[in-house]
Amino acid sequence: MATATGSSAGDETTRWKYLDHIRRTPGPFTDPDAVAEENLAQFDKFKVLVIGAGGLGCEILKNLAMSRFKDIHVIDMDTIDISNLNRQFLFRQSDVGSYKAEVAARFVERRVAGVRITAHNAAIQDFDEAFYRQFQLVICGLDSIEARRWINAMLVSIAEDAEDDPDGIKPLIDGGTEGFKGQARVIFPSMTSCIECQLDMHAPRAAVPLCTIASIPRQPEHCIEWAHVIAWDQEKPFPTLDKDDPTHVTWLYQKALARAQEYGIPGVTYSLTQGTIKNIIPAIASTNAIIAAACCNEAFKIASNSATCLGFENNYMMYSGNDSIYTYTFKHEKKDDCPVCGRQARPLEVDPASTLGDLIDSFAVRPEAQLKKPSIRAEGKTLYMQVPPSLEEQTRPNLKKTIAELGLENGQQVVVTDPAFPLEFNFFLRFKEKASA
């Protein structure tokens, strides 16, 4: 890249030569109005929000700047750790401890003339609806399902409040990677399938039963968990486990390796041990680059109308690089019972003989819910509230009562809330039938 310092008008013309050719030369899928001068000028005023400045976010910021987006904001609450440097290429060792958003913004501004990047060192929940209304497009490079769900609900709320105002629709481009796999999707809030519609694709990983770990390991991760959960507790090699201490990780690795050799299981490595005990999702720089490119390609198509974007027909692109390169694009359907963009309550299967406490606990692992601190109420009846403390104490006895004892009926509607999400989840109870003798 040429540096911003000392760039001339000639340099700028050369830099954007091919991009301007794409924008000014209509193709078979180009909106006829896209090449009009007033629409070409609108591109320069396009304001984009990038959420996340990690592995994906760094690539997205660079790609947007090199695609001639001039007004970009980036949100990230994290600081740079030394482990980030192998794949988050905007950071240097001297940046360790600094805010990711701030460092990434300044780096790209230095390298690309004319771009202005505003950094926000905060959580997305720290901003209100008015903040998000100022953007024409939002791109997520997140590793958190909760954060995705929150911004999805916010943008759907903005779109529904805007009613017939087309400026109220803030397209959401979401990218995600895990190892050699990744996905990119485009969501038009309130109009197309949203992240909540697709939540069951991100179901929590099932925990490995302790009996498997203790007696019949089949995978290298089972051996690592045995060292982590059982061997450590039995031998107590150090007072407390520090998962960032190489000495502690090495002890677990050696224990796991010995157990794996005993059962003839290959694949236990130091890096896998560290990743398993810290629940690290593997990140590969090449996968980040491919998915970020796909996201920014969609952003360019939306902003310039140079080609049809994902979103209305095929809206979900999945990529796999495990064995050669494979991509597949399909349409993820909008669900009528989606708690965010739908209008119908969704069924909640329960056993009337189970307790309310069992139901509350189940929300964390239900693929369609995934709620960590749920409160629940029925019509005219507060069943259990997590906050405030006084109400939690008052409703706590209900946790030991069965669904039947609480007077809840088959088909009855209940409302569930969680402080992590700015919306209510509407369900109707569907009692499980008793198995016949």
Side-chain angles (χ1 to χ4, degrees):
M1 295 184 206
T3 60
T5 306
S7 61
S8 65
D11 293 335
E12 285 300 289
T13 301
T14 302
R15 162 174 280 183
W16 306 117
K17 174 182 176 181
Y18 297 106
L19 194 62
D20 285 340
H21 178 74
I22 292 172
R23 294 181 60 200
R24 294 177 181 276
T25 306
F29 302 106
T30 304
D31 186 326
D33 295 331
V35 294
E37 285 300 324
E38 58 268 27
N39 287 328
L40 291 172
Q42 281 297 115
F43 188 94
D44 293 339
K45 301 175 183 177
F46 217 80
K47 186 180 284 191
V48 182
L49 173 65
V50 177
I51 302 179
L56 261 181
C58 285
E59 290 280 357
I60 289 170
L61 285 172
K62 177 261 293 180
N63 289 349
L64 290 176
M66 294 303 294
S67 300
R68 212 174 183 177
F69 286 92
K70 293 185 175 181
D71 192 354
I72 305 169
H73 287 236
V74 58
I75 299 177
D76 198 304
M77 64 185 294
D78 288 343
T79 56
I80 299 165
D81 184 79
I82 195 166
S83 64
N84 301 146
L85 303 184
N86 70 327
R87 64 192 181 279
Q88 298 175 19
F89 66 98
L90 299 182
F91 308 141
R92 301 293 180 266
Q93 190 157 357
S94 59
D95 298 321
V96 171
S98 301
Y99 282 106
K100 288 183 177 181
E102 193 69 38
V103 174
R106 300 294 80 81
F107 190 105
V108 176
E109 283 185 332
R110 287 195 302 270
R111 299 297 294 272
V112 183
V115 65
R116 183 176 75 255
I117 303 180
T118 305
H120 303 277
N121 308 317
I124 56 173
Q125 294 87 348
D126 293 343
F127 300 95
D128 59 12
E129 190 174 293
F131 172 81
Y132 292 104
R133 283 184 179 275
Q134 67 181 298
F135 302 103
Q136 281 77 55
L137 180 67
V138 178
I139 307 180
C140 286
L142 293 161
D143 58 4
S144 164
I145 297 300
E146 279 190 14
R148 282 186 173 97
R149 294 173 69 185
W150 191 93
I151 190 63
N152 173 72
M154 172 60 74
L155 297 182
V156 170
S157 175
I158 290 173
E160 291 178 343
D161 290 345
E163 295 181 349
D164 297 328
D165 180 10
D167 291 335
I169 306 295
K170 315 291 182 184
L172 173 62
I173 301 174
D174 177 55
T177 65
E178 181 173 349
F180 288 102
K181 296 180 180 180
Q183 51 82 17
R185 52 185 163 180
V186 176
I187 295 164
F188 289 90
S190 80
M191 300 174 67
T192 66
S193 167
C194 75
I195 285 175
E196 201 74 25
C197 292
Q198 306 162 8
L199 186 62
D200 53 0
M201 296 181 68
H202 304 280
R205 294 178 180 177
V208 180
L210 191 60
C211 59
T212 299
I213 295 172
S215 58
I216 48 171
R218 297 184 301 275
Q219 299 173 10
E221 290 84 358
H222 296 168
C223 300
I224 294 168
E225 282 298 328
W226 173 85
H228 179 204
V229 175
I230 297 175
W232 182 280
D233 187 58
Q234 290 176 346
E235 300 185 30
K236 294 279 193 309
F238 303 95
T240 56
L241 174 60
D242 183 351
K243 297 177 182 178
D244 292 313
D245 188 326
T247 307
H248 295 197
V249 178
T250 299
W251 188 92
L252 292 171
Y253 161 59
Q254 291 172 344
K255 283 289 180 181
L257 183 61
R259 184 169 178 82
Q261 291 171 344
E262 179 185 349
Y263 285 87
I265 299 172
V268 173
T269 64
Y270 180 90
S271 60
L272 180 63
T273 301
Q274 189 175 44
T276 301
I277 64 173
K278 296 179 71 174
N279 195 27
I280 296 173
I281 296 174
I284 296 173
S286 58
T287 309
N288 285 339
I290 290 167
I291 297 303
C295 290
C296 292
N297 192 35
E298 296 305 318
F300 183 82
K301 289 190 287 186
I302 291 171
S304 66
N305 286 320
S306 57
T308 304
C309 68
L310 294 174
F312 288 99
E313 291 305 319
N314 290 338
N315 55 14
Y316 195 110
M317 186 279 286
M318 56 177 287
Y319 161 81
S320 177
N322 293 60
D323 183 11
S324 71
I325 295 175
Y326 173 76
T327 60
Y328 176 64
T329 306
F330 64 97
K331 182 177 182 179
H332 207 295
E333 298 286 349
K334 185 175 181 179
K335 294 183 178 178
D336 292 334
D337 64 354
C338 171
V340 173
C341 68
R343 292 291 180 270
Q344 298 177 6
R346 59 175 46 179
L348 182 66
E349 286 207 357
V350 295
D351 181 350
S354 64
T355 66
L356 181 64
D358 293 334
L359 177 60
I360 292 291
D361 292 341
S362 76
F363 281 114
V365 295
R366 287 176 183 260
E368 76 278 16
Q370 300 183 45
L371 304 173
K372 294 182 179 178
K373 286 190 172 183
S375 298
I376 185 169
R377 66 181 189 273
E379 185 177 355
K381 184 184 300 185
T382 299
L383 300 173
Y384 179 71
M385 301 296 290
Q386 299 268 4
V387 289
S390 58
L391 195 52
E392 192 281 331
E393 184 178 357
Q394 183 180 338
T395 56
R396 194 183 306 160
N398 287 342
L399 295 176
K400 296 181 180 179
K401 298 178 180 179
T402 67
I403 302 300
E405 288 171 345
L406 289 167
L408 300 176
E409 299 176 356
N410 190 31
Q412 185 171 356
Q413 290 209 10
V414 294
V415 177
V416 180
T417 57
D418 189 295
F421 306 106
L423 72 153
E424 294 181 339
F425 297 84
N426 294 296
F427 295 94
F428 66 89
L429 300 179
R430 179 184 287 168
F431 287 177
K432 294 180 181 179
E433 295 182 6
K434 293 182 179 179
S436 56

